Amino acid sequence: MTHSAKVSILTAEPRPIAACRADFPGLAQEINGEPLVYLDSAASSQAPNVVIDAVADYQRHDHANVHRGVHTLSHRATDLYEGARDAVQEFIGAGSRTEIVFTRGTTEAINLVAQSYCRPKLDAGDKILITHLEHHSNIVPWQMLCKQTGAELVVAPIEQTGQVDTRQLIELMDDRVRIVAVAHVSNALGSILPLEEIIQAAHHRDIPVLVDGAQAVPHLSIDVRTLDADFYAFSGHKMFAPTGIGILYAKEALLETMPPYQGGGDMILEVRFDGTTYNELPYKFEAGTPNISGAIGLGAAIHYLNSVGLDEIAAHENRLLAYLTRSLEGIDDIRLIGTADNKASVQSFLLGDIHPHDIGTILDHQGVAIRTGHHCAMPVMDFYGIPGTARASLALYNNEDDIDRLIAALAKTKEIFA
Amino acid sequence: MTHSAKVSILTAEPRPIAACRADFPGLAQEINGEPLVYLDSAASSQAPNVVIDAVADYQRHDHANVHRGVHTLSHRATDLYEGARDAVQEFIGAGSRTEIVFTRGTTEAINLVAQSYCRPKLDAGDKILITHLEHHSNIVPWQMLCKQTGAELVVAPIEQTGQVDTRQLIELMDDRVRIVAVAHVSNALGSILPLEEIIQAAHHRDIPVLVDGAQAVPHLSIDVRTLDADFYAFSGHKMFAPTGIGILYAKEALLETMPPYQGGGDMILEVRFDGTTYNELPYKFEAGTPNISGAIGLGAAIHYLNSVGLDEIAAHENRLLAYLTRSLEGIDDIRLIGTADNKASVQSFLLGDIHPHDIGTILDHQGVAIRTGHHCAMPVMDFYGIPGTARASLALYNNEDDIDRLIAALAKTKEIFA
Amino acid sequence: MKDKDTSKADELRELYRELILDHARSPRHFGKLTDATHSAEGINPLCGDKLKLYFRILENGQIDAACFEGSGCAISVASASLLTDTVIGMNTSDALDFFAVVVSRLRGDVDANNGKRAAIDLGKIRALEGVKEFPSRVKCASLAWHALNSAIHQDSQAVSTE
Amino acid sequence: MKDKDTSKADELRELYRELILDHARSPRHFGKLTDATHSAEGINPLCGDKLKLYFRILENGQIDAACFEGSGCAISVASASLLTDTVIGMNTSDALDFFAVVVSRLRGDVDANNGKRAAIDLGKIRALEGVKEFPSRVKCASLAWHALNSAIHQDSQAVSTE
Ligand SMILES: Cc1ncc(COP(=O)(O)O)c(C=O)c1O
Ligand SMILES: Cc1ncc(COP(=O)(O)O)c(C=O)c1O
């Protein structure tokens, strides 16, 4: 396998983090005449050359459909695809490769759990417990499910800092709650939720927990078995892999009990008009031709992350986040949104009464890419009574210069609106 | 946009079909010491350089999340993604871009229709009408739906040639039938179904028709409005685009009535805990970050197909299919499976009593990649009372040499089993 | 570098002209019209703009009063403010012509309107034309206009610019 | 070129040895065992192999009779045929050892079995070892063996090699 050969070279020489920026071709360009400062990785990260090349190499030399062919290319494609599954398993510490289901992303993973795990067992009056800081992807699937079943969506409150009120969350875990679905890291606020405590409390009451790990995976090192999460969902495109690929981790015992989510090729052992036998785990949950190149890209991204070192990445980002927050606090009229003690890689803010969208435009004009708006977390905006925020988010390739450029561009913004 | 600039160069100079083979890097390799002969495009096609490059270029220079950002990269990514939607709309002759929903593939598109369109309106005793030649992806979603709703799956018979018995299919359209779901082209048999007749008959009885176009799109030119299909599903990876992207075309009037399939980011206008407003078409059906690079690859593949010319492709493939069939018929002990009058690009066969899997291995050993087995169409195999077939399938890049190599490798197979 | 910087700065100044900033800071006709005959909501999910426009339209088609409320970026608020200023006193068919011209000019298709519409003078609405260099802001500038259009046509659904 | 062709042809001849072809053409113990005490099904969805194995196992653990039916490629049928030939007369614990050794040898991990198992002589089962050069066929060769294992353990589910 060309691909794993390449990877082992990488793993052999750990890369200093400052050198990593050069691995990302997307960062080496001018936007509006200025070198790009990319502070929007929480929306989607840039991909390193090794990922882009792994995908292109696969398409050039190894592509065929998986699982179905006796010929060499099909075999190669299957090995690469299944190799990516192994990489994911190891990356998040899952007990078995059968617990790793490829999906389009976090959103699909959560929908899968809502429809396959929850829907068949919900009665009217049952409850789904989430928090007020969730991304729409961890709200809307549950709202749809409630509509379908008569279940009730219960929302645990958050504090002014943007941290979940854990005590209240736990108090809400009564015997009608059928699942607790919480973010690992809030995409709008950066808060890291106290998952161990939450999961322990839920398990104490025999309630399974789904963790939306979309914002956690590129920044923290995850061990689903230590966390004891029942379901853990995340997206490739936020961890330097391509779009269109993501993961649902689920405990085997739970997957076993779930009917398939979609029907089609690959997820069956035998199809008869008088009865069809489903395939083994995890294939039962992967109907149709999967996103093979996406999975291979995800595998390459994991190897890349490992080669840099998850601890180094976390340390670098924490330093940088502290510098970002300090620098923003130095600006008059700034209001930080999301000030929990325990945070990762994201800072939302407001500047005077300038609308975030206007900040975004002026920053973009200076080559600085941030996200503005509700960040798919409208309830968080409602909580603070604001229409949206400006949000700078960090990844391993950012540095202090990026932040200095952001601060300068914010000064320019104030000037225009003075 | 780099991408469309490139494309217009291509469209300017139509390419002679024989030159196209060189556009596909996957074909220029040795397998088991022999130049590859790829006769497995019905499972998944190889991608041309323009597609591979469009994806890599996008990832290198234009990637960000779509629909959500004010900054330049996000805007560029959105334009490219939505540009691909426009390309698809034009390619299949849809009336509006709102009718083009990006999915993972055909399988997901069919599941979407089963769950969002059919499930809410089905009562026990209602019927879903399919045919005996469907791919598992156009069987299992309906079986699952029947289990969920108490509806009944009705299967129209096929004839010995592998053509659907249209008369009986039409007779089965009674007033309990809620949808007719049929392939455009059978992947196991190559039969082209008489869609106009089927759709007319169904519409006469006010029954909507879903067409599984997975095998049609790379070979025939499609006009969904002329066909008057209500739903038309297909996959990118069978038409020279990457895996992980596909299309559901649906008439706007139908999409309007359907609840969303998955919930999450992008498919909402407004999220409140006391009620969420869904986004407009087609976004209501695209929850979460989509497969942006896949869509861009699909757009590039469409431009490539257009540059070669769909009529030229069909003519080339028809010539080649005739040559393939003739050549196979020249072998003693061959039995052709799938001999309908109207066929596209696929020929299944058996050789004496040699198991297809053994044929596949020996052919692969000669560098010839074919598919063997049930081709995700077990009921077809049951119909013929066989465990599977060997199947050679064609695409625009194949030529007569490929077929001669196949025939020689089959001779070798007979020798070993003599 | 000087030149580049100047022309870049000019683009921003074009977008955020004094007139725009003034209307954004002190929007005219801001509030709810209690006796509105027509109204419509405009939502731009991208930046969270959410405006509600109210009109009192007389039997004879004249727009007698116009108001708006909600929140949005400087461009969308200024645009709504300018809109209310402009359409009060117009009759609905002129307002619809105006809508068509504004929306196409903002997009940059100058040729899209011919005949009568070509002659329409946008007046101070021209201050919005700075968005042409900022494609992602065209939606902000045209949001209120789409709401006007749908209010006149009495569409009940919220308009979205997505 | 000669050399390459010869060694390539050798690989195929290794896979499709006379013994394999013979067992594939005329499988031994083919049919249903009406008084089976143990049985299991093996399915290989990739190529459509579907075999059902039947065993009569005595109180003392001896495998008294073995049969199989179904259809499959030459490799899987020959493997099942060789299996029945081999395990008749064995006791179940020896058969399970045999299963472990066969499956690991077919995969090519020669070191996987130590101690007692290292000493096991596969006898004519060695004819299956040609699959080592054909990774996609390892599943065919081991299908019947997995079914044997699950029959002895009385697992009711079909075994699949996917
Ligand atoms: C006729 C037909 N329908 C449906 C499918 C499923 O397509 P996909 O696996 O891309 O979802 C295929 C291909 O596998 C096919 O040939
Ligand atoms: C916390 C969180 N959850 C879920 C999602 C949805 O991920 P995706 O759009 O990749 O499905 C995101 C990102 O958009 C996110 O930040």
Side-chain angles (χ1 to χ4, degrees), chain A residues 105-107 135 137 185 187 212 214-215 235 237-238, chain B residues 68 288-289:
Chain A
T106 309
T107 302
H135 186 280
S137 290
V185 174
N187 69 308
D212 168 357
Q215 293 296 335
S235 301
H237 71 96
K238 299 197 199 272
Chain B
R68 302 187 195 167
T289 304

Side-chain angles (χ1 to χ4, degrees), chain A residues 133 158-164 186-192 321 324-326 328-329 334-350 380 383-384 386 389:
Chain A
L133 58 63
I158 55 176
E159 297 162 354
Q160 272 303 320
T161 57
Q163 183 54 277
V164 166
S186 154
N187 69 308
L189 302 165
S191 336
I192 303 178
L321 181 61
L324 169 62
T325 309
R326 230 171 28 244
L328 286 171
E329 281 169 342
I334 207 95
R335 178 179 164 201
L336 299 185
I337 306 286
T339 50
D341 288 337
N342 202 7
K343 282 185 54 183
S345 68
V346 157
Q347 186 60 61
S348 270
F349 59 90
L350 295 170
V380 169
F383 174 77
Y384 290 103
I386 55 181
T389 72

Side-chain angles (χ1 to χ4, degrees), chain D residues 79-92:
Chain D
S79 176
S81 173
L82 287 163
L83 179 152
T84 50
D85 249 9
T86 305
V87 301
I88 293 174
M90 275 191 184
N91 71 37
T92 51

Side-chain angles (χ1 to χ4, degrees), chain B residues 34-221:
Chain B
E34 306 283 349
L36 169 63
V37 169
Y38 191 74
L39 294 170
D40 194 23
S41 298
S44 199
S45 52
Q46 296 297 321
N49 282 313
V50 285
V51 167
I52 300 169
D53 293 346
V55 170
D57 285 352
Y58 164 73
Q59 301 237 76
R60 271 192 208 103
H61 306 303
D62 307 317
H63 173 61
N65 213 326
V66 292
H67 298 146
R68 302 187 195 167
V70 289
H71 62 76
T72 302
L73 286 183
S74 175
H75 201 67
R76 255 195 243 158
T78 306
D79 281 351
L80 288 165
Y81 179 69
E82 294 300 334
R85 195 189 309 275
D86 294 335
V88 172
Q89 180 201 338
E90 202 196 312
F91 184 64
I92 61 167
S96 159
R97 65 193 316 282
T98 57
E99 300 180 318
I100 307 298
V101 178
F102 283 115
T103 65
R104 178 172 32 248
T106 309
T107 302
E108 182 173 55
I110 298 174
N111 279 275
L112 194 165
V113 174
Q115 293 295 315
S116 285
Y117 176 73
C118 297
R119 187 168 179 178
K121 57 171 57 136
L122 279 190
D123 293 318
D126 283 345
K127 296 177 186 170
I128 314 278
L129 179 56
I130 65 172
T131 84
H132 204 106
L133 59 62
E134 303 305 322
H135 186 280
H136 294 165
S137 290
N138 201 22
I139 301 173
V140 186
W142 306 116
Q143 289 182 321
M144 288 169 57
L145 181 64
C146 288
K147 205 160 177 180
Q148 289 157 347
T149 61
E152 184 195 344
L153 188 64
V154 180
V155 183
I158 55 176
E159 297 162 354
Q160 272 302 321
T161 58
Q163 183 53 278
V164 166
D165 183 332
T166 313
R167 199 182 48 76
Q168 291 211 49
L169 172 63
I170 292 174
E171 276 172 12
L172 287 167
M173 296 177 185
D174 66 27
D175 61 6
R176 293 309 299 267
V177 174
R178 294 288 167 262
I179 193 164
V180 174
V182 292
H184 196 164
V185 174
S186 154
N187 69 307
L189 302 166
S191 336
I192 303 178
L193 276 69
L195 281 190
E196 290 79 357
E197 196 184 339
I198 295 169
I199 293 176
Q200 238 170 42
H203 285 177
H204 192 70
R205 291 155 185 82
D206 283 331
I207 309 170
V209 179
L210 175 141
V211 179
D212 168 357
Q215 291 297 335
V217 167
H219 308 295
L220 313 175
S221 74

Side-chain angles (χ1 to χ4, degrees), chain C residues 67-137:
Chain C
C67 268
F68 78 102
E69 56 180 7
S71 75
C73 62
I75 308 297
S76 64
V77 169
S79 175
S81 173
L82 286 163
L83 179 152
T84 51
D85 249 10
T86 305
V87 300
I88 293 174
M90 276 191 183
N91 70 38
T92 51
S93 100
D94 289 344
L96 288 177
D97 280 341
F98 220 85
F99 153 73
V101 174
V102 170
V103 166
S104 58
R105 297 251 176 105
L106 292 180
R107 276 204 211 104
D109 2 321
V110 225
D111 306 330
N113 304 111
N114 41 28
K116 188 178 94 194
R117 289 181 178 171
I120 288 178
D121 176 8
L122 291 182
K124 60 189 172 189
I125 305 293
R126 275 204 304 271
L128 291 170
E129 289 184 343
V131 298
K132 277 186 280 182
E133 299 302 318
F134 296 83
S136 69
R137 305 310 296 276

